[in-house]
Structure formats: C-alpha cells, structure tokens
Amino acid sequence: MRTPLVAGNWKLNKTAAEAKALIEEMLPGLEAVTNVDNLVCPSYLAIPAVAELLKDSKVALGAQNVYWEEKGAFTAEVAPNMVAEFCEFVIIGHSERRAYFGETDETVNRRTKAALGAGLIPVVCVGETLEENEAGRTDEVVSRQMREGLAGLEIKSASQLVVAYEPVWAIGTGKAAYPEDASRVIGKSIRPVLVELFGNEIAQGVRVLYGGSVKPENARDFFSEEEVDGALVGGASLKSADFIAITEAAA
Ligand code: PEP
C-alpha cells in the first residue's frame, strides 16, 4: 500500500517572506489530514525560511532542481549537499527545465544520481508533449525518459525515489489528462520500467504521481485510479485552500 504524496511546485513564485506567509496559512490544514504525505518546493532562496517553519511538521521540503557537481567553478549552480542541508526531496527534469533550459534525459540522469548520492529523494518528471501525444508516441517517449533518466541508478528501497507523470500539454493549461489515461500510461510505461530497473518488490513501492492542472475539482478522480499515488501540483499549490482540498481528496 503506497501512502499518497501531494506535492506543490511553487516554481518562480513567492519571495522568502511570501513563502513563509503561505506556509503559515496552509500548515494547519495540511497537518489535519492523516495518511497523506505532503511536500512543498519553494524557490531556493525561500527554502531556509520555509525549513524553519516546517521543522517538526508532517510537510516535507524540496528544491525544484539540483546540479550534479559537488563544488567548483559552476556559477549560480546549487550542489546536492547544499540542497540536502535543508531538504529531503528534489524535483528533477520538470518539463519547464526540459523546454526552456536544455534539460535532457542525460542531464536528468546525472542530477538524479547526484541527488541520491546526497541522500535526497528525487521526484523525477516524465511526460510527452502535445505533438508526441497526437502522434501516438506517448508510451515510447515516456518509457525512453524513464529508462534513460534512471539508467544505472541504485536504490535499496522504494522510498528513495518518486516519479511524476506530467503530460506537458496538461501543465499550467487548465486541461488535465483523463485520469484513466494517466493511469494507463503509468501502468504501461512507468511501472514496468521500474520493475525492469529495480525489480518487482521495489518497483511496486515507488510512488508515481500525476501532474498537470490538478485542482480540487478533479483531484478525487485522479486519486481513485489505482496507479496514481498522488499529485505534483503547480498553480493550485499556491492557493492554500486548494492545496489543502487536494490533500484531503487524497486521504
Ligand atoms: C507542474 O508544474 O508540475 C504542474 C503540474 O503545474 P499545474 O498544476 O499548474 O498544471
């Protein structure tokens, strides 16, 4: 039985002061929901302030990206151990990183290995574009992203990894996938690759989230799908009432 995880990706939103205010507003509502894990991923600069407020809470903290080198002449990059000082999780390979910042399956793989090496739990994002979807290439693209992004990874337990299936055309568009389609892609192109890479026992325990225009109105439909173990939420994670309602729907 996989405990649902509802994760918020705050993207390029909220100063440290605003992030503190948002977490203060949502924390009591999140704490009131049992049997669901929560994660919030603010911008790097807001992480220390939010970490203070999340101490001793059930809400985990994550970063939105991480570099693979430990130190050196890599201006503006953030190393895995720097993230691990404050965070338990890190999002890797979000489609906005792939589309705007040249992220590839190879760089996803390097970041994921480095994150694991620092004891972080990577939330690895995969998903097809609209063009790929319309060309009937979803399964080919998603299984390739899984195989190449996670190649050579060593994990000893399912709790060390989270995967997010995020069809690119559903992110920030208000146009979510059909829950049964999301579940089908996870069952056909994500879970079997996890089995291939890590064996059945670990693969069955890895949480696979759906992401793409999840809102309080559609969250329950996603969570009632057997293969959907929670959500990676963008826009709605910035509104405390919505993020709490999505968390309640997962319970
Ligand atoms: C995301 O950024 O991962 C995301 C799913 O965004 P939204 O919920 O706004 O579609």
Side-chain angles (χ1 to χ4, degrees), residues 9 11 94 96 125 166 170-174 211-214 232-236:
N9 173 12
K11 310 193 186 187
H94 190 280
E96 287 151 17
C125 301
E166 299 207 305
I171 297 177
T173 58
S213 299
V214 174
L232 180 53
V233 186

Side-chain angles (χ1 to χ4, degrees), residues 201-219:
E201 200 185 323
I202 287 182
Q204 296 307 331
V206 171
R207 291 184 285 194
V208 183
L209 316 181
Y210 165 77
S213 299
V214 174
K215 304 180 254 279
E217 300 78 45
N218 61 16

Side-chain angles (χ1 to χ4, degrees), residues 3-10 26 30 33-41 58-61 89 91 123 162 207-210 214-216 219-220 222-223 228-234 236-237 239-240 242-251:
T3 305
L5 172 65
V6 175
N9 173 12
W10 292 2
M26 60 171 62
L30 298 178
V33 185
T34 52
N35 303 322
V36 178
D37 293 337
N38 277 118
L39 164 67
V40 292
C41 302
K58 74 149 202 165
V59 180
L61 186 58
F89 290 80
I91 297 172
V123 179
V162 175
R207 291 184 285 194
V208 183
L209 316 181
Y210 165 77
V214 174
K215 304 180 254 279
R220 211 169 288 276
F222 282 103
F223 301 147
V228 178
D229 303 319
L232 180 53
V233 186
S237 72
K239 297 179 199 139
S240 56
D242 286 1
F243 195 58
I244 292 164
I246 294 168
T247 302
E248 285 167 350

Side-chain angles (χ1 to χ4, degrees), residues 180-193:
E180 55 276 24
D181 287 345
S183 186
R184 189 198 60 76
V185 175
I186 296 169
K188 182 157 181 218
S189 305
I190 293 182
R191 189 81 56 197
V193 180

Side-chain angles (χ1 to χ4, degrees), residues 56-199:
D56 308 319
S57 86
K58 74 149 202 165
V59 180
L61 186 58
Q64 299 172 17
N65 192 19
V66 69
Y67 195 49
W68 53 82
E69 294 289 348
E70 276 173 32
K71 63 166 98 164
F74 303 104
T75 300
E77 292 298 332
V78 177
N81 66 338
M82 296 173 184
V83 173
E85 210 176 340
F86 297 96
C87 298
E88 215 182 317
F89 290 80
V90 60
I91 297 172
I92 294 177
H94 190 280
S95 66
E96 287 151 17
R97 303 292 319 167
R98 293 179 191 255
Y100 309 141
F101 302 100
E103 194 82 62
T104 62
D105 293 332
E106 196 213 324
T107 58
V108 167
N109 186 253
R110 294 178 85 164
R111 290 182 210 279
T112 305
K113 283 181 179 157
L116 279 170
L120 289 160
I121 303 169
V123 179
V124 178
C125 301
V126 295
E128 81 286 2
T129 62
L130 182 61
E131 205 186 0
E132 290 162 343
N133 182 288
E134 287 177 346
R137 296 182 52 220
T138 297
D139 291 307
E140 166 209 326
V141 169
V142 171
S143 56
R144 186 210 69 224
Q145 290 174 334
M146 285 291 296
R147 273 198 195 95
E148 296 186 8
L150 305 185
L153 238 72
E154 282 179 29
I155 57 171
K156 293 192 175 60
S157 97
S159 60
Q160 285 178 277
L161 177 69
V162 175
V163 176
Y165 170 54
E166 299 207 305
V168 179
W169 47 270
I171 297 177
T173 58
K175 188 174 173 275
Y178 290 113
E180 55 276 24
D181 287 345
S183 186
R184 189 198 60 76
V185 175
I186 296 169
K188 182 157 181 218
S189 305
I190 293 182
R191 189 81 56 197
V193 180
L194 291 172
V195 173
E196 230 174 85
L197 295 173
F198 308 117

